[in-house]
Amino acid sequence: MSATALETSRPVAAKRQVIDCDIHPAMTSWTEVHPYLELRWIEHLQTYGSHLRHAFSEALTHPRMSPDAARVDAYPEEGGPPGSSLDLMRRQHLNPNGIEHGILIPLRWNPGSQRNLDFGVALTRAMNSWQAERWVGQESRLKGSILVAQEDAVGSVDEIEARAGDPRFVQILILPRTDEPLGRRRYWPIFEAAERNNLPIAIHVGGTNGHPSTGGGWPSYYMEEHHAVAESMQAIVVSLIFEGVFERFPRLRFVIMEGGLGWIPSLCARMDRNWERMRGEVPHVRRRPSEYLRESIWFTTQPMEEPERPGQLLELMDRIGWDRLLFSTDYPHWDFDDPRYAFRAPLTGAQKDQLLFGNAQRFYGFP
């Protein structure tokens, strides 16, 4: 639900414990990572800047998304972009919404999409240290995500091993618009390291691989770009399953973030039907595709579809599996889901507790 709709929503319900699986911290400027970068990379930034494979190296993929795709009330009074003030995050979100744990998802400066792979790896290390000291080290409710430069599998594995024993980090973060479909074997060393260290992999909307965001080319409108988010997540799921990732790494867990929910049942049915007819092409996929999805993939709720008939949302959750849904707000973005208003469907207290807290508690192993 867009934050602009809150004033006309129904009265606030009793506060519940909440685990928010999608909070976006921001830097005020590149200089925030300078303490964690070697001098050569500071000079590289100052001289050459960021190099992503699209026209505007510091912009997001559609003009409407710049700057920051954020709530109008999320700009700190002291200056800086939304998400850059821990004090404001506490006052505006963590404290009033009962956030027990918040998972950080840094998006800007996109180290995994840097064309200079050495710089991308260095930037992941710096941004992970920045998360640990600037955010998690100052707010115990927050947890970090290990950024990796996935196009450099060796560098990614090194960073995973360096952070895996640090309880401040609870998952690995990869953005979905990778150079090749994510199930391809070039990425398997990352999956092996994730499974070995019992770390889930979060796939959050984003990435700039230079390819058009839709199968038909670059879109004209933000509406098209926004819809392509769900399409990119479907492509990720299909690639992981049919490339045999879950046969090779049966204990590997993924969480798909901010990709919507309505497409999941239809995709499962389509994959199963085609697998029954053409399974000879993929003998390494030994079970129905929907079984791999059901066992190994979780989904965050924001931005969930909100049908005109609220009961249909309950039917959708039944088909996906209530235990596969993790609550997220997308703070501080404009389509933020306030935990007090997020579910229009008539959920029971037990269902709300499961979605807002219980599922994520089990998934991340929080006490």
Side-chain angles (χ1 to χ4, degrees):
M1 176 182 291
S2 170
T4 60
L6 294 182
E7 293 302 323
T8 58
S9 299
R10 61 182 180 276
V12 175
K15 185 184 296 185
R16 285 184 155 81
Q17 288 181 302
V18 176
I19 297 176
D20 184 354
C21 297
D22 187 9
I23 295 177
H24 298 297
M27 299 179 196
T28 54
S29 73
W30 274 111
T31 58
E32 284 196 27
V33 295
H34 284 186
Y36 316 110
L37 283 173
E38 297 176 19
L39 178 60
R40 65 165 292 201
W41 294 120
I42 296 174
E43 294 174 345
H44 178 92
L45 271 172
Q46 294 170 340
T47 305
Y48 303 104
S50 172
H51 182 200
L52 306 178
R53 193 181 282 169
H54 67 81
F56 303 101
S57 64
E58 302 302 339
L60 297 175
T61 52
H62 193 279
R64 194 228 61 84
M65 298 177 70
S66 300
D68 303 309
R71 292 166 44 168
V72 295
D73 64 346
Y75 287 84
E77 293 181 0
E78 64 271 23
S84 62
S85 169
L86 178 56
D87 287 341
L88 180 58
M89 182 185 292
R90 287 177 177 135
R91 298 195 310 268
Q92 195 171 60
H93 181 42
L94 300 181
N95 296 341
N97 289 325
I99 306 300
E100 295 287 329
H101 301 285
I103 314 300
L104 298 177
I105 308 291
L107 291 181
R108 296 300 296 272
W109 294 296
N110 205 344
S113 296
Q114 293 291 332
R115 307 324 303 166
N116 183 325
L117 296 183
D118 290 336
F119 173 59
V121 170
L123 190 55
T124 62
R125 293 171 181 161
M127 292 182 67
N128 289 333
S129 295
W130 167 79
Q131 285 185 82
E133 295 189 22
R134 168 71 172 79
W135 296 92
V136 182
Q138 299 183 41
E139 174 51 73
S140 62
R141 288 172 289 185
L142 298 177
K143 299 294 182 182
S145 299
I146 303 173
L147 298 173
V148 296
Q150 74 280 339
E151 308 307 334
D152 183 340
V154 173
S156 296
V157 170
D158 287 346
E159 183 63 7
I160 291 169
E161 296 295 345
R163 306 283 178 178
D166 188 338
R168 295 174 296 182
F169 292 90
V170 296
Q171 64 188 5
I172 299 161
L173 176 62
I174 297 176
L175 305 186
R177 287 173 180 165
T178 49
D179 282 4
E180 295 184 31
L182 192 59
R184 299 294 292 271
R185 294 185 186 183
R186 62 179 293 182
Y187 304 113
W188 284 22
I190 300 173
F191 303 156
E192 183 179 18
E195 185 182 58
R196 181 170 59 250
N197 290 288
N198 193 30
L199 285 168
I201 296 178
I203 308 295
H204 188 286
V205 170
T208 52
N209 55 18
H211 306 310
S213 55
T214 76
W218 291 107
S220 300
Y221 304 106
Y222 170 65
M223 284 286 194
E224 296 172 271
E225 177 73 34
H226 196 268
H227 182 71
V229 164
E231 297 169 2
S232 68
M233 292 305 192
Q234 292 178 63
I236 290 287
V237 170
V238 171
S239 177
L240 293 172
I241 291 173
F242 285 113
E243 292 281 358
V245 169
F246 298 118
E247 279 290 337
R248 177 63 180 82
F249 307 105
R251 294 182 292 107
L252 187 60
R253 296 172 294 146
F254 280 83
V255 53
I256 302 296
M257 294 186 159
E258 206 170 313
L261 304 174
W263 51 267
I264 299 169
S266 61
L267 180 67
C268 285
R270 188 180 184 90
M271 288 193 299
D272 283 356
R273 183 172 64 252
N274 290 334
W275 176 80
E276 289 170 356
R277 296 173 179 174
M278 297 180 285
R279 58 194 297 182
E281 184 188 26
V282 286
H284 51 276
V285 181
R286 295 184 173 90
R287 296 184 292 150
R288 289 179 177 273
S290 60
E291 293 180 24
Y292 296 108
L293 184 148
R294 183 68 180 83
E295 292 178 4
S296 302
I297 301 178
W298 282 252
F299 301 88
T300 58
T301 56
Q302 190 281 333
M304 59 189 157
E305 292 78 4
E306 297 179 279
E308 292 296 323
R309 288 186 289 171
Q312 291 178 334
L313 182 60
L314 300 181
E315 296 172 8
L316 175 62
M317 291 178 173
D318 283 338
R319 296 185 67 181
I320 296 171
W322 287 82
D323 60 332
R324 264 22 191 190
L325 299 171
L326 311 179
F327 180 72
S328 60
T329 67
D330 197 31
Y331 179 88
H333 291 167
W334 66 267
D335 49 356
F336 166 84
D337 271 0
D338 190 301
R340 299 168 297 175
Y341 306 94
F343 302 104
R344 294 175 55 193
L347 273 62
T348 66
Q351 288 170 332
K352 289 180 181 178
D353 288 339
Q354 181 181 11
L355 294 177
L356 292 172
F357 185 83
N359 288 342
Q361 181 189 35
R362 287 185 290 274
F363 182 79
Y364 289 110
F366 291 137

